């Protein structure tokens, strides 16, 4: 499971700091990386074009590509893209491309054997550790990058689609080239995706109202209120209001990371890295600040390391709902995705020869950390997943006595298996039953997503019905129920009688003269109706 590589801001509505969108260094995003699309391949259109004029069918085998360029609106501020340049919102950048290409090469070195020699041959030099043997590969004999060997899953965002594609290029690039040379056509890899607004690779799932309820519960908790109103939170918000033009904690992670990861200038007060030159995406070197003397943030009375502190606080607030109450929110949100993953793992454990070897899921930061949270309290390190993060779940078939299968979890190069409850602290491998038990707690394609409020109303109604059934299930209950109904009818009738007659039953009605009626009740003035001073009340 990977997070996409470095990208542009995912929204043009971010507040960020004053001057962010008016400064061309931060407010204009132009992209050299573009997306290529193509018409359907020949096998798909042959039947459709059958019987068409000869000049049409003659080009049925021709393939060509479209290059998508976001440059049609070039008259800002009204006629322009959201990011004021040629980039899409949340588009993968060249730096992100390089990151995912490196990820693919790491996977190639770890899991594929392609005849390496020397010390760099990796674990795959051991035949037992080879996921793919790429030596003398003949595309006609089966492809390691074809289903069922490979399953590629992503949501329908440009950055996740391209990140997965680039990773596969780093993993199988040489084999793709050989395929084209041998077969005379480029390989086609199925991509499994869904409507973006309904997909399950992130936390914001509009199809599950209960998530909103769980989020509200978390934010109303004493723990969240304590964090949100802490001295640190007050200090950071005060600094933002006074120095940066407003509180942008909700978007702080995106504002900060898209800037620093593309070597764009930070506000002086947030620039903990002043004077450090880093290579830019254009290959030149530039300082990460527009000021030459602004690193002493202590002069502002807010303390030092403000960049890091803003990022840490924003991360804590954003992720609180996912970790609250033993990760209930994360477990519910990730249930359908865990079900997908379980459907891939189960055939491996069952010994199915057609089981998937590599299941690649290209998602987001909000895919990786809630998956870890849902595996147990100690699984996530509370650090926001950086661009191109990679969470690897390995399934090992064991030889000899003991469990037939074990698993290992690796997150950004570190083995996380011992963090999981039930796994030995001294081993990188853990029995598969531990993982399957934990996954099955959450894994479900049909989660209980009804609103908690609806559940409470239904519970009250159900309790009432059950109590009524219990009451009339015996003779004593029937007599009691009859008595209650009779008493209720008598009391209702009494109330109606009193309200209409203004006297109690059996009370003698007093006869009064017109004058007495006028003096005591003041209900009706019995005087001459032609008198102007007469008033009907």
């Amino acid at each position: 499971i990977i997070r996409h590589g470095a990208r542009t801001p995912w929204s043009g509505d971010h507040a960020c700091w004053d001057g962010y969108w008016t400064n061309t260094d931060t407010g204009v995003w132009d992209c050299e990386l573009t997306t290529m699309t193509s018409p359907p391949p020949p096998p798909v259109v042959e039947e459709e074009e059958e019987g068409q004029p000869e000049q049409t069918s003659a080009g049925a085998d021709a393939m060509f590509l479209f290059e998508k360029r976001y440059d049609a609106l070039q008259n800002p501020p009204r006629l322009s893209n959201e990011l004021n340049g040629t980039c899409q919102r949340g588009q993968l950048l060249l730096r992100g491309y390089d990151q995912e290409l490196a990820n693919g090469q790491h996977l190639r070195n770890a899991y594929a054997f392609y005849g390496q020699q020397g010390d760099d041959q990796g674990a795959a030099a051991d035949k037992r550790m080879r996921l793919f043997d790429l030596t003398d590969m003949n595309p006609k004999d089966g492809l390691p990058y074809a289903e069922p060997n490979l399953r590629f899953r992503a949501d329908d965002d440009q950055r996740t689609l391209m990140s997965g594609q680039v990773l596969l290029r780093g993993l199988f690039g040489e084999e793709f080239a050989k395929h084209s040379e041998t077969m005379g056509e480029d390989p086609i890899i199925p991509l499994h995706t869904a409507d973006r607004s309904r997909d399950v690779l992130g936390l914001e799932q509009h199809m599950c109202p209960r998530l909103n309820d769980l989020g509200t519960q978390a934010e109303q908790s004493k723990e969240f209120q304590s964090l949100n109103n802490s001295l640190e939170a007050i200090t950071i918000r005060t600094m933002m209001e006074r120095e940066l033009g407003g509180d942008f904690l909700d978007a702080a992670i995106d504002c900060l990371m898209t800037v620093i990861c593309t070597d764009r200038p930070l506000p002086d007060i947030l620039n903990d890295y002043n004077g450090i030159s880093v290579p830019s995406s254009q290959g030149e070197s530039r300082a990460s600040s527009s000021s030459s003397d602004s690193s002493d943030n202590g002069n502002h009375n807010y303390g030092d390391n403000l960049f890091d502190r803003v990022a840490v606080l924003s991360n804590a607030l954003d992720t609180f709902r996912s970790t609250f109450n033993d990760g209930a929110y994360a477990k519910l949100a990730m249930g359908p995705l865990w079900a997908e993953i379980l459907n891939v793992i189960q055939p491996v454990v069952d010994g199915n020869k057609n089981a998937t070897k590599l299941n690649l899921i290209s998602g987001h930061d909000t895919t990786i950390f809630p998956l870890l949270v849902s595996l147990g309290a100690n699984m996530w390190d509370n650090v926001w997943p950086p661009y191109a993060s990679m969470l690897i779940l390995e399934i090992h078939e064991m030889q000899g006595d003991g469990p037939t299968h074990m698993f290992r979890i690796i997150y950004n190069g570190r083995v996380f298996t011992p963090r999981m409850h039930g796994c030995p602290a001294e081993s990188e491998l853990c029995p598969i039953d531990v993982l399957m038990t934990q996954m099955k707690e959450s894994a479900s394609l049909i989660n209980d997503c009804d609103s908690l409020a609806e559940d409470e109303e239904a519970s009250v109604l159900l309790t009432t019905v059950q109590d009524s059934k219990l009451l009339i299930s015996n003779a004593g209950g029937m007599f009691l129920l009859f008595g209650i109904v009779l008493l209720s009818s008598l009391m209702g009738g009494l109330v109606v009688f009193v309200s209409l007659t203004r006297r109690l039953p059996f009370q003698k009605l007093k006869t009064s003269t017109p004058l007495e009626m006028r003096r005591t009740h003041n209900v009706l003035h019995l005087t001459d109706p032609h008198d102007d001073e007469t008033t009907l009340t």
Side-chain angles (χ1 to χ4, degrees):
I1 304 118
I2 63 169
R3 183 191 178 188
H4 55 77
R7 58 162 172 77
T8 64
W10 59 263
S11 174
D13 297 327
H14 286 339
C16 295
W17 48 84
D18 274 353
Y20 179 92
W21 290 111
T22 56
N23 186 340
T24 55
D25 286 336
T26 52
V28 178
W29 294 78
D30 288 314
C31 287
E32 299 177 12
L33 191 63
T34 56
T35 301
M36 310 293 285
T37 61
S38 71
V44 177
V45 299
E46 281 178 354
E47 181 177 351
E48 181 68 22
E49 294 185 354
E50 185 177 356
Q52 295 293 324
E54 183 177 350
Q55 61 268 28
T56 301
S57 59
D61 292 335
M63 288 296 295
F64 55 95
L65 299 175
F66 293 102
E67 180 183 10
K68 294 176 67 175
R69 296 183 179 181
Y70 278 73
D71 59 2
L73 301 179
Q74 295 286 338
N75 189 22
R78 190 175 69 87
L79 296 178
S80 68
N81 294 321
E82 285 194 38
L83 303 185
N84 304 314
T86 59
C87 291
Q88 296 174 249
R89 294 180 302 133
Q91 178 177 338
L92 188 72
L93 297 168
L94 281 174
R95 181 163 295 184
Y97 183 102
D98 293 338
Q99 293 167 341
E100 297 299 354
L101 190 65
N103 273 344
Q105 292 166 344
H106 289 318
L107 293 179
R108 181 180 180 87
N109 291 334
Y111 301 113
F113 180 70
Y114 46 95
Q116 308 101 306
Q117 299 294 327
D119 296 335
D120 62 345
Q121 57 188 351
D126 185 338
K127 290 184 178 180
R128 298 172 300 175
M129 300 297 290
R130 294 176 187 173
L131 192 62
F132 299 108
D133 188 343
L134 305 178
T135 57
D136 299 324
M137 187 198 75
N138 186 345
K140 297 181 180 180
D141 297 333
L143 303 170
Y145 41 83
E147 293 184 337
N149 291 326
L150 167 69
R151 186 177 190 274
F152 177 25
R153 171 77 161 92
D155 67 17
D156 204 21
D157 280 338
Q158 185 269 355
R159 58 187 179 275
T160 52
L161 297 174
M162 185 171 286
S163 290
Q165 293 167 347
V166 175
L167 181 145
L168 290 175
R169 180 178 179 181
L171 174 58
F172 294 122
E174 294 183 20
E175 288 66 42
F176 291 158
K178 187 174 182 179
H179 179 115
S180 300
E181 180 181 350
T182 304
M183 305 294 290
E185 62 182 16
D186 295 326
I188 298 175
I189 298 176
L191 164 64
H192 301 276
T193 188
D195 286 338
R196 182 62 180 89
S197 61
R198 302 173 71 95
D199 213 340
V200 295
L201 296 193
L203 289 174
E204 300 297 338
Q205 298 173 32
H206 306 293
M207 304 303 296
C208 192
R210 188 183 290 261
L211 286 176
N212 295 328
D213 297 334
L214 294 176
T216 299
Q217 285 183 354
E219 292 175 357
Q220 292 176 347
S221 67
K222 293 181 179 179
E223 295 88 342
F224 181 83
Q225 295 303 320
S226 178
L227 171 65
N228 197 38
N229 297 305
S230 64
L231 178 60
E232 176 71 350
I234 294 172
T235 301
I236 294 300
R237 287 194 171 97
T238 301
M239 179 273 297
M240 287 182 165
E241 294 284 352
R242 292 179 178 176
E243 310 292 339
L244 299 172
D247 179 359
F248 60 91
L249 265 176
D250 290 345
I253 291 290
D254 199 55
C255 294
L256 295 177
M257 299 308 169
T258 52
V259 166
I260 197 169
C261 291
T262 54
D263 307 318
R264 294 168 184 250
L266 288 162
D268 292 343
I269 196 170
L270 293 179
N271 186 15
D272 297 338
Y273 312 96
N274 183 53
I276 302 176
S277 295
V278 290
S280 74
S281 58
Q282 285 76 33
E284 61 187 22
S285 180
R286 63 183 288 183
S288 58
S289 173
S290 58
S291 173
S292 61
D293 186 18
S294 59
S295 60
D296 185 9
N297 291 335
N299 293 332
H300 298 284
N301 300 319
Y302 307 112
D304 297 328
N305 304 316
L306 284 172
F307 180 99
D308 185 60
R309 288 165 56 198
V310 169
V312 168
L313 178 61
S314 179
N315 171 55
L317 293 172
D318 284 349
T319 61
F320 185 90
R321 61 179 178 173
S322 296
T323 58
F324 179 71
N325 192 21
D326 194 30
Y329 188 102
K331 290 176 181 178
L332 178 62
M334 293 293 103
L337 182 55
W338 273 126
E340 287 188 31
I341 296 173
L342 185 60
N343 287 339
V344 174
I345 293 177
Q346 191 64 57
V348 177
V349 177
D350 294 341
N352 189 328
K353 294 182 179 179
N354 292 322
T356 298
K357 292 185 176 181
L358 175 61
N359 183 38
L360 172 62
I361 300 174
S362 183
H364 304 266
D365 41 12
T366 52
T367 308
I368 288 180
F369 85 78
L371 281 175
L372 286 169
V373 169
S374 66
L375 288 177
N378 298 321
M379 288 301 292
W380 184 45
D381 57 7
N382 293 313
V383 176
W384 194 270
Y387 294 131
S389 287
M390 187 157 53
L391 174 63
I392 299 175
L393 175 57
E394 300 174 341
I395 307 299
H396 294 260
E397 183 180 359
M398 307 305 293
Q399 297 178 349
D401 298 332
T404 58
H405 291 83
M406 302 187 81
F407 72 94
R408 182 169 73 151
I409 296 177
I410 305 171
Y411 177 49
N412 287 340
R414 294 177 293 163
V415 177
F416 269 36
T417 322
R419 291 171 172 256
M420 192 164 178
H421 178 71
C423 291
E426 67 282 357
S427 174
E428 294 188 6
L429 296 178
C430 184
I432 192 68
D433 291 345
V434 176
L435 176 65
M436 301 295 270
T437 299
Q438 184 67 35
M439 287 174 59
K440 288 177 180 178
E441 283 187 18
S442 306
S444 175
L445 291 174
I446 307 177
N447 277 345
D448 183 6
C449 279
D450 291 337
S451 171
L452 293 174
E454 295 174 357
D455 285 355
E456 291 175 1
E457 293 175 0
S459 177
V460 171
L461 178 60
L462 179 62
T463 300
T464 303
V465 172
Q466 290 175 339
D467 290 345
S468 300
K469 288 182 178 179
L470 180 62
L471 185 64
I472 64 176
S473 62
N474 57 76
M478 286 290 292
F479 282 115
L480 178 61
L481 181 61
F482 178 77
I484 292 173
V485 172
L486 179 60
L487 181 61
S488 299
S489 300
L490 291 174
M491 291 298 295
L494 177 61
V495 170
V496 172
F497 180 86
V498 172
S499 64
L500 292 176
T501 64
R502 298 185 180 277
R503 65 185 181 88
L504 295 174
F506 312 111
Q507 182 180 3
K508 186 177 180 180
L509 182 64
K510 182 180 179 180
T511 303
S512 302
T513 65
L515 181 60
E516 288 173 331
M517 290 177 63
R518 177 172 179 170
R519 289 176 177 176
T520 58
H521 299 286
N522 198 30
V523 173
L524 190 65
H525 290 236
L526 298 177
T527 56
D528 186 352
H530 300 290
D531 188 349
D532 292 340
E533 295 181 355
T534 299
T535 303
L536 184 66
T537 62

